[in-house]
Each structure stands twice: as C-alpha cells, then as structure tokens.
Amino acid sequence: MKKLINNPDDIIKEQLEGMQAAHPDLIKVNFEPYYITRAGGPVKGKVALISGGGSGHEPMHGGFVGHGMLHAACPGEVFTSPTPDQMHLAAKAADGGAGVLNIVKNYTGDVMNFEMAAELAMADGIKVQNIVIDDDIAVKDSLYTAGRRGVGSTVLIEKICGAASEEGYDLQSLSALCRTLNQNGRSMGMALTSCITPANGSPSFDIGDDEMEIGIGIHGEPGIQREKIKTVDEIAEMMTVSILEDAAYSRALKEWDFEKNEWVEREIVDEPFKKGDKVIAFVNSMGGTPVSELYGVYRKVAQVTEKFGVKIVRNLIGPYITALEMQGCSITLMKVDDSMIKLWDAPVKTPGLRWGV
Amino acid sequence: MKKLINNPDDIIKEQLEGMQAAHPDLIKVNFEPYYITRAGGPVKGKVALISGGGSGHEPMHGGFVGHGMLHAACPGEVFTSPTPDQMHLAAKAADGGAGVLNIVKNYTGDVMNFEMAAELAMADGIKVQNIVIDDDIAVKDSLYTAGRRGVGSTVLIEKICGAASEEGYDLQSLSALCRTLNQNGRSMGMALTSCITPANGSPSFDIGDDEMEIGIGIHGEPGIQREKIKTVDEIAEMMTVSILEDAAYSRALKEWDFEKNEWVEREIVDEPFKKGDKVIAFVNSMGGTPVSELYGVYRKVAQVTEKFGVKIVRNLIGPYITALEMQGCSITLMKVDDSMIKLWDAPVKTPGLRWGV
Amino acid sequence: MLKKEHVISWLSESFSVLEENRQYLTQLDTAIGDADHGNNMYRGFKKVNEQLPALEGKDIGAVLKAVAMTLISTVGGASGPLYGTFFLQAATKCTGKDELTPQEVSVMFKAGLQGVKMRGKAQPGDKTMIDVLEPATTTLSELVEKGEPLDIAIKEAVSVAMEKLKETIPMIAKKGRASYLGERSKGHQDPGATSSMFILEAFSKAIS
Amino acid sequence: MLKKEHVISWLSESFSVLEENRQYLTQLDTAIGDADHGNNMYRGFKKVNEQLPALEGKDIGAVLKAVAMTLISTVGGASGPLYGTFFLQAATKCTGKDELTPQEVSVMFKAGLQGVKMRGKAQPGDKTMIDVLEPATTTLSELVEKGEPLDIAIKEAVSVAMEKLKETIPMIAKKGRASYLGERSKGHQDPGATSSMFILEAFSKAIS
Ligand SMILES: Nc1ncnc2c1ncn2[C@@H]1O[C@H](COP(=O)(O)OP(=O)(O)O)[C@@H](O)[C@H]1O
Ligand SMILES: Nc1ncnc2c1ncn2[C@@H]1O[C@H](COP(=O)(O)OP(=O)(O)O)[C@@H](O)[C@H]1O
Ligand SMILES: [Mg+2]
Ligand SMILES: [Mg+2]
Ligand SMILES: [Mg+2]
Ligand SMILES: [Mg+2]
C-alpha cells in the first residue's frame, strides 16, 4: 500500500490535526467526536449549512468549511458515513439561531445517519432540514437500487448554497434552492485504477492494465461497467452525452415536513437538459489524475456541450471530490440561472476553494 | 499506461486547448509555438514575469499566468525544456516596456534555452534578466553535478515576484527579490511510485511495492536514494530536518550583467535556517497523492519546524508542481520577511492559484 | 430463561467473532461494496465490549439500549443505524427486566427485526441482513410457540439462517451499496447478512 | 571533397538512424535521465528532414545554419541548444561554400565541438556527448592532417568514437540530469553520446 500515512487507524485524527494546524484562521476541528466548524463560531442569524460523509473524499467536505460555503462538516471513517452524534453536535455548534440545512449525499448510510441526527437536533429545538443529493446518472434506477448516488453536484451545491446562506436565505428558501440545484445537476464518473482503503490495504477492485471502470462512485466500489481503456475524447464524449441526454428522472426523496412534524417522501423529477441551458461544468479528479489530464477532458466536454447547444457559463476543474488516490475523473453539469451564477461568483474562503476574498 | 489522453503526440496541444477553453478570461494560449500570456495583453509599465519548462508539472507554469503572478509561460514537451523561440516570442508578447524577468529552474536544458532566448530578446531591444532557481537540497554538490534543481520554491517565487511586479518593482529590484527568495528557499521531494511519460508509455523507474525514492526531482528521474517505505511521520520528519539543517550552500549562477553586456557568474550563498526565522511552508503533491495525505505530511512539518524554533507564517498545500501522476510529495520552506508576506497575501487570479480577488 | 449474564456473554461473543472475521467481512464488502463492513462492525462491537463491565449491574433493557447507542455512535455507514435500531427496538421490549422467557426473547428479536425493516425498507430477497434476520426470527418464534426450549430454538434458527445466508449469494442486491452493481452483485455473499449470522451464532453460543 | 549533396544526405541519414533508434535512445535516457532523449532527437531531425528539399539550392553554410535553427526551436531540453550550437558554429566555417576540403571538414567539426563545449561546459569524462564528439573530432583532424582521404578518416573517427561511447558506461555523470544520480549513473551508456555516435555514423555513410 503506497500511502503517506502512519497507522491506518490514526489517519482521520492525524490528517485532521494537519488541517487544523494549517488553517487555524478558517476552521476549528473538534476531535471527540470529529466535526469541523468555522473558526469564528456560529454565524448569528444565518442558516447553518452542514455536510458530512465518509473521509477519503478530501477536500470535500472539511475543506469546504469557511466563509461563503459550509458552516460545519462531519468526517466519518474512510468511506463510512459519520454517525448521528457527530452530526448532532456539529448542528449544535454551528446553529446561529436560523436553523440547519444538512446536505446529505444519497447513500443508505448517510441518509439514515443524517435522519437520526436531524431528529436529535430537533429534539433540542433546532430547526433542521435534510436535502438529499442524488446526481449520479450511472445509476439508472431508483426502484431496484438505493437510488442515484450523491457525487459531483454536492461540491457545486455547497458553494452556491453557502453563498445563499451568507445572503440571508432562510431555511425554507435555502432548502428550496438546494433541492432545485440537485434537480439541475447530473454527474458521471470513471476510474482507471482502483483506490486502496488504508484499513483494507489492497485495491478495492482488480482492474487490468488496459481496462477502465465506467460509472463508478467515489468509494472505490466497482463501477457499472468494465471496458477497455478508450481515448480521452471517447470517454469524455460518452460521459458528456450520457449526461446531456439523460431522460427525466423521477424518484421519492425524504424531507422533514414542518407542518406534519414527520419525514415525508417527496416525488422529485429532474428534467433533462435542453438547448439554451446555461450550465456550470465541473471536471473533477478522483485524486490520482493530475490537472493536466482534466484539461484534456474539459476540452471535449466544451466541444460536446457546445454542439448540443448548452452553454458553459462557469467551470471548476481539479480534485474536489475524490476517492483517495484513485485515477479517474467525473464530469458534472449543472443548469444555473443568473441568480445562481451570482451566488457561484460570490466570495468564498475555505481551505479547499477560495476566490473573491 | 493509464492516462486520460488521446495520441501522446497531441497531448500538449489538446491540454492547452482545454485550458484555453476553460479560462478565456484569464489566459491566451498561442499554439505555434506554444506560449501562454495573460488574456488582457501586456501590462504597460510593469516588468513581465515569465517562466517555462517542460510540461507535466501542471498547474505550473501555465496555470500561474494571470493577475498577481506570471505574465507568460512557455510549456515544453513533457519533461523537456521549451525552446528559445517560444521564450523569445513570449517575451515579445508579454513585455510592457519595463523589461522581462525570466524565472528559470536550474536544469541544463532550461538554463541554456533561456539564455539563448534572453539573447534573442535583447537583440530586439527588450531588457531581460534570467534568475535561476535551485532549491532542491537532495542534490548536495554543484561541483560534481549540474547543481541543485529548481523545484518547489519556484511556485512561491512566482507568486511573490508576481505581486511585486504588480506593485511596480523595476527589473533590477524584482531580480534582486527573486534572487533573495531563491536563496531563502529549500526543498526536498520523495516518490512512492514512478510516473509514466506519455511518449514512453512505461514507468520511468521500477520501484518495489514496499519501496520509496527519496530525493527525487520532478521529471520521473530516479531519486538520490531508494528505501523501504516508512511512515509519513518518519518521512516528513527526515525531509523537514534535512531542509532545516542544510548547511550554507554556495555556487555560481549566471546572470546578465547590464554594464558589461555579457553573462557573468555570480557567487551565491544560501544561508542555513536559524531559530526565529519566519517561513512559508509548502507541502506539494507530485500529482498522484491526494490532499488528505498532504495534511498528514503538514502535521509533521508543523511539529518539526516548531521544535526547531522556525515559525510557519503562511502555508500552501496541494498539487502545484507535479510530475504527471506520480505519487509522492515535496516539502519547501522559504524564509520570508514582512514585506514578502505582504506580497504573498496580495491578490492573485490565475487558473491554478487564486485569492483576494 | 435468558438471564442478563447471557446477554452480556452474547455481546462479548459477538465481539470475538466479529474481531476474528474482520478481514473476512471487509473482503465480502470489497467485492460488492466499499470494503469497510468488517472494520465498521469491529469498531462498534469493540466499543460495546469495552463497556460491558460497566453494564453488568443493569437490566437487559438498559444493556441493549446502551449497546444501541454505542453502535449508533461508532459504527457509521449503513450498518450503524441498522444494528443500532435493532438493539434500540429490542431494548424497548426488555425495559426493567433481568431475565426473559423464551417468548419474551422471541418478542425482542421481532421488535429488533421490525426496527431494521422500518429504518432500511429492505425486503427479503434484497440481499441484505434482512435475508438472515427475518427467517431466523421467524424460525425462533415458531419453535418457541411450539414450546421448544430456547437453546434448541435458536440452534435451529441459526441453521435456517445459515441456509438463507448462502441464498444471498445468487441474489441481485436491491438495497445498499451493492445495489449499484446490479447483475454484477450476483455470486457474492452479502456482508451485512454475514455479520447478522455471526451475531446470531454468538447468541446461540452464549446460551448453550 | 564534401559536396553539399553529401551534407543533405548526412542529414537525411541522421534522421533515419535517429528515427530507427528513437525507443533505444529514450530507453537509455530512462535509466539515467528523464526518458525523452529519443523523442527530442526524433522531433528535431524529423523537422530537419522535412526541410531538406527546400534547402537543396543553398550553400553548405546556409544549410547547416538552417539545421541549427530548426534543432534549436524543436528539440528542447539540453540536447536542443547543444546540437543547435554544434551546427550553428559548424555553419560559421562554411559560409558561402558549396563544397569542403577534408581540412575544411575538420575545421567545421572542431568549430561545432567548441560550440558544444562552450555552451555546456562539459569535459571529457563527464559522461556526455563530449565523450564521443571530442575523440571523433580529434581523430578526424589528425588523420586529415596526415593526408588520409575523408572517408577513411571519418571511418576511423567513428570506430574510435564507438570505443569511447562504450567507455561512458562505467563513468559517473557530472553534467546534465544524469549527474543527480551520482554513483547510480554508473553502468549505463550516455544517451547524448549515443545520439552523437549515430550522427557521426550517418556522416560516414553519407560520404562513402
Ligand atoms: N436498506 C438496508 N436494509 C437492510 N440492510 C441494509 C440496507 N442497506 C445496506 N444494508 C446492509 O448493510 C451492509 C453494508 O454495511 P456497511 O458496509 O457497514 O455499510 P456501507 O454500505 O454504508 O458501507 C450490507 O451488506 C447490507 O447487509
Ligand atoms: N552540459 C552538457 N554538455 C554536453 N552534453 C550534455 C550536457 N548536459 C547534458 N548533455 C547531454 O544531453 C543528453 C541528454 O539530452 P536530453 O535527454 O535530450 O535532454 P534533457 O537532459 O534536458 O532531458 C545527455 O545524455 C548528455 O549527453
Ligand atoms: Mg461504507
Ligand atoms: Mg528532458
Ligand atoms: Mg460498506
Ligand atoms: Mg532527457
């Protein structure tokens, strides 16, 4: 196992110590249990935006805590959802009196843990909503699967909703924005190599020297399909076309109903992309692919979207939602309107994403 | 070979096309020959800061073109110094009337090509200085080698000198600053895996599953020493201590003498670090190591520098000077005074580094 | 009768078997999941095991509730809330009790099972822990109804569960991470069903 | 006499042999450098070769100068400026000439060699192209002084150079990238010395 680590059992703790040492001006790490809040404490009167998930996807989510993005993040063990107590304490620490919005990637574990956490926080009198992100079009079906996974859209949503919180959106409007952005975003990922989880020590899947996995998630799980490696043009075109041509996607997602005071299932439909749409294009490295190759991917994404009549108005290119040292990439397209673009452009100052300030 | 590329012969062109498509607001790519300038054209009255080198180290240097950093960059073939004509045309395109400072990493090829380029530009009446960066302490000797290589310091120097150019430093004072920063910076690198150059298609060196290379450069060349993999604490401590305890380093570097009108060798001495020094700490990924592991490295760097009595006042953590998809890291410490810190903090807006704007 | 000492030894037996099979469970989860199930279960039950001495004075309901809270706050992933809910719901049927009749044990298991189904919405055949927990619970309660002694009933439940566990191999997963694999999830035994099996075996061992 | 047709065929022969040995040179550079020498030389001489038809009318000085400029602007790395300088300095001795006497050829090689030494500051024994270029040039000029015909002199120069090339194997590099390896550079033949050898062989072939 080729990793810059000490004992695998200590890596979450030690890497968080490193983050804390590096960014004391931006973040404050709590160690028992793990959660990360902004250095300045809760932001009075603003909805606290919180996310969390397994570790191994850095800079997401801890690296996105700071002005203009998250108020808190909960790191789990590597690729393992964090637990309700972490999320509950993070909510208590980050709540500025205007409630908490949990951004939950759609994995069985994350969803269940965040639901329990929301219940605990609500029992403390904190207003909490959970919005589930499920943008991975590699998963076709929500009837015979746990539904689409939450992947690249999460990063864009954390940025845009973070800016909206700074703007003073209340919990309901922030939740609505978050839900809409999730409906507007679609992603697809692929891997050239498998990652190795530190505790496991060997590759999560075997893959031939001339093979790639299409439709992977971000947890070293095998993808939807195994193929011979193709050229970047073929890969990027196939992925971009799949995203652009993905049909309407309908499924039920749970949200808290503040009137009924219980979880309700909301039927949610993502409409397909259409000519004239403006999008943010996000080309992401899975961790082991260098930015030079991402530009090769972006080149094709730009060509394909243009041909389709979709206009890229902003882009993000780099390793932002990773799967340890996996080689590979993901592509996310998210339809945005002018107000969303303005929120995207707003200042952000976090360890992992920074501009305008 | 696991890469997101098309034909290896086309990758420089295509990746630059991707960069151009992604950042038309920041950069302008010239294709025949390759060079990258700021989108806005030359900056009148300011010294043009130019760098260049082989490709495969992205985001360096092309990703550092933009406000507050470089005015132009010249990408060579992968790991191959660019040629004098590229550098010459880049100088012509970027010169704003106040002359050109070429930041040259100390490799035989880069040094010779940039010298020829400077001569060509001077023949056109452009005032040019070349400052050579040689901060890699893994190379002990300059008498029996080509001297210390230019590695991590380059990134920090491009940022600080870029800010100084915006501040209006003239060519002489900017050159002096650049020279001092080079004297103030020391780096060391290590690799867990070899990279694969696209044209070659197989690893640049063979390395066992339980081995690492210490003292590598950024070109997939073998390092100074082969060892069994150690823990991140042992590796980071060894590297940081080597940097902190590196003795005074003396060698001759060529600069242009504007009075004699010829290249002269300047005897230059880097003084060792001492207690009380303030430094910028830069923990860099070689491309394949994810940021999570870099935080594990940073943790130890922070501990060791503190024990030594050296104070980290700023840091940079991420993949900024890479060797394709190589796994590994480098550590750079650069002594800075308050004016340099101010320049470091100044706004920068490039594809690869951005803050304050 | 199931005494509270039995419960304590069930939990410590569970830890032993999960510790022993940490790699094995992770390996199963590598094939169709994300390679963490063994570590998740180990982390949770290690913590449970450490707390057992402090729980010795408590009644069965209190013990199971404490186990639930520990699992919920240490396991993470999907299995954390699921096993946590199992023990939490099981605990509600044992409040204040220092021993349980076979009927009460059967009620306890049913409550736990219902909790997991409520939380995870999985059905038998979805290739999850339900494929072991449900038939085992059904067998146990049927035998207990018929008046079989608890140790016999649980032995039989374990052997039915073992068959059902093997039946997860050809299944296509419809819940949890393995569901993303679709057809490719065939041919692999479900990790969560396997850990459930270990916990049932530990129960059987604890009372015999 | 060396006619300008000979020079053209020297350059096209050089391209052929460098194309043929592209992988080989890169392999040598993988061991002690950065795995690009074969590609660098191929890229440069391919461009030179493409330009040859356009150069046919020109005198030898003009041809060599054009070659120099092409190499400088296409090869890159260390070898680009070095070979570029070789041809640039060689060209200065052939300005306006359509053919060269053996003595003039010897002067041309000496000028090229001096250019490389001036640019790269390497000495014989540093494990660079100098270890081939210098003994070859010396042998050539000595034999030409003695009145040997050019083709005989160059054949002998090539065979001396071949020996000297092999002698780079045990050397410790002191210039270029290989110098970073110190002792570990021992046991590998220098890539640049090897490409120099190929270019000398091409010269010999062109005039026989
Ligand atoms: N909805 C569900 N209902 C019941 N059991 C489930 C469900 N989803 C997953 N599981 C069980 O959880 C196991 C995986 O647990 P674990 O690996 O610890 O969590 P994760 O899938 O989050 O990594 C699966 O093997 C399966 O038995
Ligand atoms: N200072 C020097 N003087 C003469 N030849 C040199 C010098 N430095 C390097 N070389 C030659 O250049 C060759 C390497 O060329 P190449 O691989 O194309 O460039 P780079 O080293 O920049 O990758 C070496 O094998 C050596 O023969
Ligand atoms: Mg998991
Ligand atoms: Mg090179
Ligand atoms: Mg799992
Ligand atoms: Mg080379």
Side-chain angles (χ1 to χ4, degrees):
Chain A
M1 178 171 47
K2 298 231 152 172
K3 285 182 192 298
L4 294 168
I5 58 170
N6 296 316
N7 186 331
D9 292 342
D10 300 330
I11 67 162
I12 309 293
K13 179 171 154 283
E14 292 176 349
Q15 291 174 354
L16 286 174
E17 285 173 0
M19 266 194 94
Q20 180 64 87
H23 310 293
D25 51 326
L26 299 176
I27 58 164
K28 192 174 164 317
V29 179
N30 191 79
F31 283 89
E32 283 183 12
Y34 298 129
Y35 59 84
I36 301 167
T37 54
R38 293 194 191 174
V43 186
K44 283 270 161 305
K46 304 282 168 74
V47 177
L49 199 64
I50 301 188
S51 193
S55 292
H57 308 303
E58 291 70 21
M60 189 184 81
H61 300 274
F64 297 147
V65 173
H67 178 79
M69 215 160 165
L70 296 180
H71 294 79
C74 305
E77 295 294 317
V78 172
F79 293 169
T80 301
S81 165
T83 57
D85 57 318
Q86 290 172 261
M87 301 159 174
H88 174 211
L89 291 171
K92 287 216 274 190
D95 179 37
V100 169
L101 176 60
N102 287 323
I103 297 185
V104 183
K105 299 192 302 308
N106 189 37
Y107 301 96
T108 309
D110 293 65
V111 170
M112 291 191 299
N113 283 294
F114 264 111
E115 274 173 21
M116 295 173 90
E119 291 164 16
L120 290 170
M122 286 190 284
D124 286 341
I126 302 176
K127 235 182 148 184
V128 183
Q129 183 55 284
N130 287 5
I131 298 289
V132 173
I133 311 302
D134 59 342
D135 57 317
D136 185 356
I137 64 156
V139 181
K140 288 289 162 224
D141 209 307
S142 69
L143 261 184
Y144 301 107
T145 66
R148 291 186 168 177
R149 297 171 286 210
V151 288
S153 283
T154 317
V155 176
L156 309 185
I157 291 173
E158 290 178 4
K159 166 68 188 82
I160 295 172
C161 287
S165 164
E166 304 292 347
E167 288 270 298
Y169 279 50
D170 66 13
L171 182 56
Q172 200 185 335
S173 52
L174 194 63
S175 303
L177 174 64
C178 187
R179 191 188 305 117
T180 303
L181 290 168
N182 180 46
Q183 290 173 275
N184 287 5
R186 285 177 163 84
S187 301
M188 191 162 176
M190 59 80 58
L192 293 167
T193 60
S194 167
C195 55
I196 297 179
T197 63
N200 196 11
S202 53
S204 297
F205 54 86
D206 291 318
I207 181 162
D209 272 352
D210 58 346
E211 293 179 323
M212 61 177 180
E213 282 272 332
I214 298 291
I216 50 139
I218 52 172
H219 296 90
E221 65 269 53
I224 301 302
Q225 205 173 306
R226 173 75 49 102
E227 289 181 24
K228 293 274 168 245
I229 292 187
K230 299 218 172 85
T231 64
V232 67
D233 275 359
E234 291 169 302
I235 295 167
E237 175 154 16
M238 184 278 289
M239 285 164 65
T240 310
V241 168
S242 301
I243 290 171
L244 288 170
E245 297 188 344
D246 188 52
Y249 175 65
S250 169
R251 76 291 194 192
L253 292 174
K254 266 200 228 165
E255 288 183 22
W256 187 257
D257 187 315
F258 289 98
E259 276 160 23
K260 296 191 188 151
N261 249 315
E262 60 180 24
W263 296 106
V264 294
E265 298 230 309
R266 250 181 118 119
E267 196 65 31
I268 290 184
V269 183
D270 298 356
E271 296 300 338
F273 287 100
K274 54 185 195 307
K275 269 194 209 339
D277 282 351
K278 293 189 226 172
V279 299
I280 299 177
F282 172 28
V283 175
N284 173 63
S285 164
M286 289 291 163
T289 283
V291 72
S292 50
E293 293 178 32
L294 298 184
Y295 281 117
V297 175
Y298 184 81
R299 172 180 170 271
K300 198 64 193 180
V301 174
Q303 289 171 2
V304 174
T305 47
E306 185 174 348
K307 208 170 136 195
F308 189 90
V310 155
K311 190 171 164 48
I312 299 179
V313 291
R314 294 293 184 276
N315 61 61
L316 182 69
I317 299 167
Y320 293 103
I321 166 171
T322 59
L324 296 170
E325 79 287 16
M326 182 181 271
Q327 278 183 275
C329 72
S330 66
I331 297 169
T332 300
L333 297 178
M334 181 176 287
K335 183 181 155 183
V336 285
D337 61 24
D338 291 347
S339 73
M340 293 162 183
I341 297 173
K342 222 179 122 208
L343 292 168
W344 175 259
D345 290 341
V348 58
K349 187 173 179 182
T350 70
L353 203 68
R354 189 171 167 191
W355 59 67
V357 64
Chain B
M1 177 171 47
K2 298 232 153 171
K3 287 182 192 297
L4 294 168
I5 58 171
N6 296 316
N7 186 330
D9 292 342
D10 301 328
I11 67 162
I12 309 293
K13 178 171 155 285
E14 292 175 350
Q15 291 174 356
L16 286 173
E17 285 172 1
M19 266 196 93
Q20 180 64 88
H23 310 292
D25 52 326
L26 299 175
I27 59 164
K28 192 174 164 319
V29 178
N30 192 79
F31 283 89
E32 281 183 14
Y34 298 130
Y35 59 85
I36 302 166
T37 54
R38 294 194 191 174
V43 186
K44 284 269 163 305
K46 303 283 167 73
V47 178
L49 199 64
I50 301 187
S51 193
S55 292
H57 309 302
E58 291 71 20
M60 187 185 82
H61 300 276
F64 298 146
V65 173
H67 179 79
M69 215 160 164
L70 297 179
H71 295 78
C74 306
E77 295 293 317
V78 172
F79 293 169
T80 300
S81 166
T83 57
D85 58 316
Q86 289 172 262
M87 300 160 174
H88 175 211
L89 291 171
K92 288 217 274 191
D95 179 38
V100 169
L101 176 60
N102 286 323
I103 297 185
V104 184
K105 298 193 302 308
N106 189 36
Y107 300 96
T108 308
D110 293 66
V111 170
M112 292 191 299
N113 283 295
F114 263 112
E115 274 172 20
M116 295 172 89
E119 290 165 17
L120 290 170
M122 286 190 284
D124 285 341
I126 302 175
K127 234 181 150 184
V128 183
Q129 182 55 285
N130 286 6
I131 297 288
V132 173
I133 311 302
D134 60 341
D135 57 317
D136 185 355
I137 64 157
V139 181
K140 288 289 161 225
D141 208 307
S142 69
L143 261 183
Y144 300 108
T145 66
R148 291 185 168 179
R149 297 171 287 210
V151 288
S153 284
T154 316
V155 177
L156 308 186
I157 291 173
E158 289 177 4
K159 166 67 188 82
I160 295 172
C161 287
S165 163
E166 304 291 347
E167 288 270 299
Y169 279 50
D170 67 12
L171 182 57
Q172 200 186 335
S173 51
L174 194 63
S175 303
L177 174 64
C178 188
R179 191 187 307 117
T180 303
L181 289 169
N182 181 46
Q183 290 173 274
N184 287 5
R186 284 177 163 83
S187 300
M188 191 163 177
M190 60 80 58
L192 293 167
T193 60
S194 167
C195 56
I196 296 179
T197 64
N200 197 11
S202 54
S204 297
F205 54 87
D206 291 317
I207 182 162
D209 272 352
D210 57 346
E211 292 178 324
M212 61 178 180
E213 283 272 332
I214 297 291
I216 51 140
I218 51 172
H219 297 91
E221 65 269 53
I224 302 301
Q225 206 173 306
R226 173 76 49 101
E227 288 180 25
K228 291 275 168 244
I229 292 186
K230 298 219 172 84
T231 64
V232 67
D233 276 357
E234 291 169 302
I235 294 167
E237 175 155 15
M238 185 278 288
M239 286 164 66
T240 311
V241 168
S242 301
I243 291 170
L244 288 170
E245 296 188 343
D246 188 51
Y249 174 66
S250 168
R251 76 290 192 193
L253 292 175
K254 266 200 227 165
E255 289 183 21
W256 186 257
D257 187 315
F258 288 99
E259 277 160 23
K260 297 190 187 152
N261 249 314
E262 61 180 25
W263 297 106
V264 294
E265 298 231 308
R266 251 181 116 119
E267 195 66 30
I268 289 183
V269 182
D270 299 356
E271 297 299 338
F273 288 100
K274 56 185 194 306
K275 268 193 211 336
D277 282 351
K278 293 188 225 171
V279 299
I280 299 176
F282 172 28
V283 175
N284 174 62
S285 163
M286 288 292 163
T289 283
V291 72
S292 49
E293 294 179 31
L294 298 184
Y295 280 117
V297 175
Y298 184 81
R299 172 180 170 271
K300 197 63 193 180
V301 173
Q303 289 171 2
V304 174
T305 47
E306 186 175 349
K307 209 169 135 197
F308 190 89
V310 155
K311 190 170 163 50
I312 299 178
V313 291
R314 295 291 183 276
N315 60 61
L316 183 69
I317 299 168
Y320 293 103
I321 167 171
T322 58
L324 297 170
E325 79 287 16
M326 182 182 271
Q327 278 183 277
C329 72
S330 66
I331 297 170
T332 300
L333 297 179
M334 180 177 288
K335 183 181 155 183
V336 285
D337 61 25
D338 291 347
S339 72
M340 294 162 182
I341 297 173
K342 223 179 122 208
L343 292 168
W344 176 258
D345 290 341
V348 59
K349 187 173 179 182
T350 72
L353 202 68
R354 190 171 167 191
W355 58 69
V357 62
Chain C
M1 292 301 263
L2 182 81
K3 302 219 159 61
K4 63 182 179 184
E5 294 74 39
H6 290 134
V7 173
I8 299 288
S9 90
W10 172 29
L11 296 166
S12 76
E13 281 296 342
S14 294
F15 170 61
S16 304
V17 64
L18 291 167
E19 181 179 37
E20 214 171 284
N21 289 282
R22 181 181 176 177
Q23 288 308 323
Y24 172 61
L25 288 173
T26 292
Q27 222 174 288
L28 292 175
D29 196 34
T30 302
I32 56 171
D34 59 349
D36 63 354
H37 188 59
N39 298 321
N40 293 347
M41 297 304 290
Y42 169 77
R43 194 171 48 248
F45 275 84
K46 188 175 164 229
K47 194 72 181 240
V48 165
N49 193 55
E50 284 163 14
Q51 294 173 334
L52 291 181
L55 294 175
E56 268 174 21
K58 307 254 162 95
D59 66 74
I60 296 179
V63 169
L64 295 182
K65 172 134 195 247
V67 169
M69 297 319 290
T70 300
L71 294 179
I72 289 170
S73 67
T74 55
V75 176
S79 48
L82 290 169
Y83 280 117
T85 303
F86 180 92
F87 283 99
L88 201 62
Q89 293 304 317
T92 60
K93 304 296 176 187
C94 316
T95 321
K97 295 185 181 159
D98 282 335
E99 48 179 42
L100 304 176
T101 64
Q103 283 72 19
E104 285 172 326
V105 169
S106 151
V107 166
M108 172 190 88
F109 269 100
K110 277 190 199 157
L113 170 67
Q114 279 320 307
V116 176
K117 290 179 81 169
M118 182 267 303
R119 213 11 93 224
K121 305 268 185 298
Q123 295 301 321
D126 285 354
K127 193 168 185 140
T128 70
M129 55 179 75
I130 293 294
D131 288 310
V132 157
L133 291 177
E134 178 151 300
T137 304
T138 309
T139 306
L140 179 75
S141 61
E142 279 171 8
L143 294 180
V144 163
E145 292 291 288
K146 284 195 198 140
E148 292 282 355
L150 189 57
D151 58 342
I152 303 295
I154 186 70
K155 268 212 183 87
E156 183 57 21
V158 164
S159 88
V160 167
M162 182 62 87
E163 272 170 46
K164 296 294 180 177
L165 172 61
K166 295 295 158 203
E167 287 175 19
T168 66
I169 298 178
M171 288 178 185
I172 297 177
K174 294 196 192 63
K175 291 283 171 194
R177 273 176 211 290
S179 69
Y180 305 128
L181 282 177
E183 289 276 339
R184 285 164 90 190
S185 64
K186 276 189 184 175
H188 302 278
Q189 184 170 307
D190 181 59
T194 312
S195 58
S196 287
M197 183 72 218
F198 287 136
I199 293 169
L200 289 169
E201 284 180 330
F203 187 87
S204 171
K205 202 164 170 194
I207 62 169
S208 13
Chain D
M1 292 299 263
L2 183 81
K3 301 220 160 62
K4 64 182 181 185
E5 295 73 40
H6 290 133
V7 173
I8 299 288
S9 91
W10 172 29
L11 296 166
S12 77
E13 282 295 342
S14 294
F15 170 61
S16 304
V17 63
L18 290 168
E19 182 179 37
E20 215 170 284
N21 289 282
R22 182 180 175 177
Q23 289 308 324
Y24 172 60
L25 289 172
T26 292
Q27 223 173 287
L28 291 175
D29 197 34
T30 303
I32 57 171
D34 59 349
D36 63 354
H37 188 60
N39 297 322
N40 294 347
M41 297 305 289
Y42 170 77
R43 194 169 50 246
F45 276 84
K46 186 173 166 231
K47 194 72 182 244
V48 165
N49 193 57
E50 284 163 14
Q51 294 173 334
L52 290 181
L55 292 175
E56 268 174 21
K58 307 253 162 93
D59 66 74
I60 296 178
V63 170
L64 294 182
K65 173 135 194 247
V67 169
M69 296 319 290
T70 301
L71 294 180
I72 288 170
S73 67
T74 54
V75 176
S79 47
L82 290 169
Y83 280 117
T85 303
F86 180 91
F87 283 99
L88 201 63
Q89 293 304 318
T92 61
K93 305 296 176 188
C94 317
T95 321
K97 294 183 181 161
D98 281 336
E99 48 180 43
L100 303 177
T101 64
Q103 283 72 18
E104 286 172 326
V105 169
S106 151
V107 166
M108 173 190 87
F109 269 99
K110 276 190 198 157
L113 170 67
Q114 278 321 308
V116 176
K117 291 180 82 169
M118 182 267 302
R119 204 32 77 226
K121 304 267 186 297
Q123 295 302 320
D126 284 356
K127 193 167 185 141
T128 71
M129 57 179 73
I130 293 295
D131 289 310
V132 157
L133 291 178
E134 178 152 298
T137 303
T138 310
T139 306
L140 180 76
S141 61
E142 279 171 8
L143 294 180
V144 164
E145 291 290 290
K146 284 193 199 141
E148 292 282 354
L150 189 57
D151 57 342
I152 303 296
I154 186 70
K155 268 213 184 84
E156 183 56 23
V158 164
S159 88
V160 168
M162 184 62 88
E163 273 169 47
K164 295 296 181 177
L165 173 59
K166 294 296 159 203
E167 286 175 20
T168 65
I169 298 178
M171 288 178 186
I172 296 178
K174 294 196 193 62
K175 290 283 170 193
R177 274 176 210 291
S179 70
Y180 304 127
L181 281 177
E183 289 276 337
R184 285 165 90 189
S185 64
K186 276 189 183 176
H188 302 279
Q189 184 171 308
D190 181 61
T194 310
S195 58
S196 287
M197 183 72 219
F198 287 136
I199 293 170
L200 289 169
E201 282 180 329
F203 187 87
S204 171
K205 202 164 170 195
I207 62 168
S208 17

